[in-house]
C-alpha cells in the first residue's frame, strides 16, 4: 500500500480501489476530462457511471481519477461523480497544470497525460479512455503536440483507446509515438483506428488478439526496464461506426471555425470536440459512448490478465 508519507502527497482512494490495490486485484484507471470537457451534463454523468459498471461487470475495479477542491481522488463514489459532473470552472489538467490544481485547491479534470501520472503514483497499470491527444493538423506551424504523447514516452501505464480523432494529424501522431518509443498495439486490427471509424488506413507494426498476449507484452517491456506507456488501439464496434465522409466534413468545418475564432493551446481540443458534437447533432456522442464502453471492457480483460501473471 502506498502511504501518503512515502508519496509526499495524499491520494484519496475509494474503498473499493484501496481494497483492490491491497489485494493485487485488477484495477482500471479512468480519466475525467471526458466528463468535464468531453460531454455535456447529464450525458457525461451517465457515461461516467456506465463505464465504471462495465469495468465491474468484467471483474475489475474502476478508478476514476479527478481533483476536487485540490484533493486527488483515485476512485470516486457515485455521489462524488454526481458532484464533479456538474461543477463549473473545472480546470483541464495535463502534466503542466496538475500542481496548480492541487496547490490552489481547485477542481481539476485529468487528461490522458495527467491520469497516467496519478495512476502510476497509485500503482495502476491499465487505463481506459476514448481517444488520446496527438499531433494537431498544421502542427508544423503551430507546434501543437499533445502532452499525452510525451507522457506515453515515459510513464509506465498502458492506455486502451479507440485510436485518435481525425481532428489530429494521424500519420504525424504515429511518427511522434515511434520517436518516443511508444508501442501501438492494434487489438484485433492491423490498422490504427480513427476513433469514429474503425480504420485510418495507417498500418500498425503490432497486432494482438487476446488480452493475455497484451499483458505478457507489457510485463516483458517493464521487466526489461523499458519505461513508458503503450497504446492498445481498440476500434469502435462496427455497429456504432460513423460515416467517414460525413465525419471528415464535420472535422474540416470544426478546424476552420477554430482558426477563425483564434482558438489555441489547451482550449483547442475541447473546442473541436464541442463543435463536432453540435454539428453531428448528437451522433458523435452516441458513437463516443459506445467506444468508451468497449475500451473499458478490453482494459478490464487486460488488467485481469496482468494481475494473474
Ligand atoms: N480526444 C478525444 N476526446 C477527449 C480528449 C481527446 O477524442 O476527451 C481529451 C483527453 O482527455 C486528452 C485531451 O488527454 O483531450 C488532450 O488534450 P490536449 O490536446 O490539449 O493535450
Ligand atoms: Mn495542445
Amino acid at each position: 500500500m502506498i502511504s501518503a508519507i512515502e508519496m509526499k502527497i495524499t491520494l484519496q482512494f475509494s474503498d473499493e480501489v484501496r481494497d483492490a490495490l491491497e489485494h493485487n486485484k485488477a484495477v482500471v484507471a479512468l480519466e475525467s476530462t471526458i466528463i468535464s470537457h468531453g460531454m455535456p451534463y447529464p450525458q457525461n454523468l451517465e457515461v461516467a457511471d456506465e463505464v465504471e459498471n462495465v469495468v465491474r461487470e468484467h471483474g475489475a475495479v474502476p478508478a476514476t481519477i479527478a481533483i476536487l477542491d485540490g484533493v486527488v481522488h483515485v476512485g470516486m463514489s457515485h455521489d462524488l461523480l454526481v458532484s464533479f459532473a456538474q461543477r463549473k470552472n473545472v480546470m483541464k489538467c495535463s502534466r503542466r497544470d496538475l500542481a496548480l490544481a492541487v496547490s490552489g485547491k481547485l477542481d481539476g479534470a485529468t487528461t490522458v497525460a495527467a491520469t497516467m501520472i496519478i495512476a502510476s503514483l497509485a500503482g495502476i497499470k491499465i487505463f481506459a479512455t476514448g481517444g488520446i491527444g496527438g499531433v494537431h493538423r498544421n502542427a508544423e506551424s503551430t507546434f501543437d503536440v499533445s502532452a499525452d504523447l510525451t507522457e506515453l514516452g515515459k510513464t509506465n501505464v498502458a492506455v486502451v483507446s479507440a485510436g485518435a480523432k481525425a481532428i489530429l494529424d494521424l500519420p504525424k501522431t504515429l511518427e511522434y509515438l515511434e520517436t518516443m518509443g511508444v508501442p501501438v498495439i492494434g487489438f484485433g486490427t492491423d490498422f490504427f483506428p480513427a476513433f469514429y471509424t474503425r480504420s485510418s488506413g495507417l498500418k500498425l507494426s503490432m497486432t494482438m488478439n487476446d488480452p493475455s498476449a497484451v499483458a505478457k507484452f507489457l510485463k516483458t517491456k517493464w521487466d526489461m526496464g523499458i519505461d513508458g506507456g503503450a497504446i492498445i488501439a481498440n476500434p469502435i464496434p462496427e455497429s456504432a461506426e460513423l460515416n467517414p465522409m460525413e465525419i471528415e466534413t464535420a472535422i474540416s468545418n470544426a478546424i476552420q471555425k477554430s482558426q477563425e475564432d483564434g482558438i489555441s493551446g489547451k482550449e483547442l481540443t475541447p473546442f473541436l470536440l464541442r463543435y463536432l458534437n453540435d454539428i453531428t447533432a448528437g451522433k458523435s456522442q452516441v458513437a463516443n459512448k459506445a467506444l468508451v464502453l468497449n475500451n473499458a471492457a478490453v482494459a478490464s480483460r487486460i488488467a485481469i490478465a496482468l494481475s494473474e501473471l
Side-chain angles (χ1 to χ4, degrees):
M1 191 59 216
I2 311 110
S3 78
I5 297 154
E6 260 176 90
M7 302 211 5
K8 301 203 183 97
I9 174 155
T10 308
L11 301 182
Q12 183 69 53
F13 290 96
S14 66
D15 291 343
E16 64 177 339
V17 170
R18 183 182 298 107
D19 178 75
L21 290 172
E22 277 170 2
H23 296 95
N24 193 31
K25 286 193 230 156
V27 179
V28 174
L30 301 165
E31 63 147 307
S32 47
T33 297
I34 193 171
I35 304 175
S36 60
H37 293 70
M39 291 179 197
Y41 180 82
Q43 286 92 335
N44 61 349
L45 176 61
E46 277 166 36
V47 173
D49 272 331
E50 276 187 58
V51 175
E52 290 213 332
N53 286 332
V54 165
V55 173
R56 290 192 192 96
E57 280 159 20
H58 283 78
V61 171
T64 300
I65 291 174
I67 299 160
L68 283 88
D69 306 310
V71 177
V72 180
H73 289 265
V74 180
M76 289 162 73
S77 66
H78 174 73
D79 287 349
L80 270 179
L81 282 178
V82 170
S83 167
F84 183 78
Q86 297 179 77
R87 290 192 186 201
K88 311 275 180 245
N89 306 317
V90 176
M91 180 165 89
K92 175 184 162 189
C93 295
S94 192
R95 168 174 274 269
R96 176 188 66 181
D97 316 285
L98 268 180
L100 177 59
V102 173
S103 65
K105 299 195 177 353
L106 308 174
D107 293 329
T110 52
T111 62
V112 167
T115 306
M116 289 176 72
I117 292 171
I118 306 295
S120 173
L121 285 174
I124 302 169
K125 296 283 178 208
I126 307 294
F127 162 24
T129 185
I132 56 161
V135 180
H136 279 268
R137 296 190 192 182
N138 306 315
E140 59 274 31
S141 60
T142 63
F143 274 43
D144 191 346
V145 178
S146 174
D148 290 354
L149 301 186
T150 42
E151 203 61 48
L152 279 157
K154 62 184 163 201
T155 299
N156 299 358
V157 173
V159 182
V160 181
S161 97
K165 278 203 179 84
I167 57 174
L168 302 169
D169 185 320
L170 299 184
K172 286 197 185 76
T173 298
L174 286 177
E175 289 292 351
Y176 200 92
L177 287 166
E178 181 183 351
T179 302
M180 299 304 293
V182 180
V184 181
I185 302 167
F187 192 75
T189 179
D190 293 330
F191 296 94
F192 192 54
F195 200 83
Y196 294 123
T197 54
R198 288 179 57 82
S199 174
S200 62
L202 299 166
K203 189 101 163 53
L204 295 173
S205 66
M206 296 184 204
T207 297
M208 294 182 197
N209 301 309
D210 78 287
S212 68
V214 176
K216 273 184 214 143
F217 173 88
L218 293 172
K219 183 170 187 311
T220 304
K221 177 184 194 295
W222 292 325
D223 282 352
M224 290 174 78
I226 303 171
D227 282 336
I231 294 174
I232 319 305
N234 184 36
I236 185 171
E238 249 163 78
S239 57
E241 203 177 12
L242 298 184
N243 178 306
M245 301 289 279
E246 203 178 314
I247 224 32
E248 180 51 37
T249 308
I251 286 168
S252 309
N253 290 339
I255 291 175
Q256 200 188 328
K257 178 81 170 123
S258 72
Q259 288 166 347
E260 287 163 11
D261 291 7
I263 310 290
S264 67
K266 71 192 269 191
E267 315 303 336
L268 181 60
T269 297
F271 178 92
L272 294 173
L273 299 183
R274 228 179 301 121
Y275 200 79
L276 272 186
N277 281 343
D278 288 350
I279 50 184
T280 61
K283 264 196 226 171
S284 69
Q285 238 176 73
V286 175
N288 205 336
K289 180 171 161 182
L291 66 85
V292 172
L293 297 180
N294 191 37
N295 292 343
V298 167
S300 304
R301 293 164 62 204
I302 295 169
I304 289 168
L306 195 59
S307 74
E308 286 167 353
L309 286 181

